[in-house]
């Protein structure tokens, strides 16, 4: 998963015609590390999805702008608009993430 390092890179990604998923995380977050362990299973189930990660501590202004309060959080963007947001409390299991991605990527 590619790491988003700049505001410009973020803007380029979210402004595409295809949906893109951004995972907000931090290095100190145990739930983020647990999610990383089951993401391969999620990708097998959901199929081909463009997913990137942003360290909330490195780009706090982006996290604040899009109401990312807890981590990990998954946000789906398309054409520069936030389409869906899976908050950290609902991102604990592979099934929760698969359901979220299946619903939000097929809108």
């Amino acid at each position: 998963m590619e790491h988003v390092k700049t505001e410009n890179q973020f803007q380029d990604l979210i402004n595409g015609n295809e949906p893109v998923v951004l995972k907000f995380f931090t290095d100190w977050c145990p739930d983020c590390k647990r999610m990383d362990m089951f993401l391969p299973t999620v990708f097998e189930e959901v199929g081909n999805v463009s997913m990137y990660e942003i360290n909330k501590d490195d780009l706090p202004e982006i996290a604040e702008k899009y109401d990312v309060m807890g981590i990990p959080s998954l946000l789906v963007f398309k054409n520069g608009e936030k389409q869906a947001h899976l908050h950290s409390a609902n991102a604990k299991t592979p099934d929760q993430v698969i359901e979220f991605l299946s619903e939000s990527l097929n809108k």
Side-chain angles (χ1 to χ4, degrees), residues 23-34:
K23 179 185 82 159
F24 285 79
F25 77 101
T26 63
D27 293 330
W28 49 264
C29 165
D31 286 342
C32 298
K33 293 184 187 335
R34 184 171 54 238

Side-chain angles (χ1 to χ4, degrees), residues 77-88:
F77 289 89
K78 184 177 176 182
N79 298 319
E81 298 288 325
K82 182 170 86 168
Q83 305 290 310
H85 187 152
L86 181 64
H87 298 274
S88 58

Side-chain angles (χ1 to χ4, degrees), residues 1 38-49 51 98 101:
M1 191 174 346
F38 67 69
L39 278 178
T41 304
V42 170
F43 291 137
E44 284 178 24
E45 184 74 26
V46 175
N48 191 17
V49 58
M51 189 166 185
I98 289 167
L101 290 175

Side-chain angles (χ1 to χ4, degrees), residues 13-24:
L13 288 170
I14 70 166
N15 283 310
N17 294 338
E18 294 297 317
V20 62
V21 179
L22 288 134
K23 179 185 82 159
F24 285 79

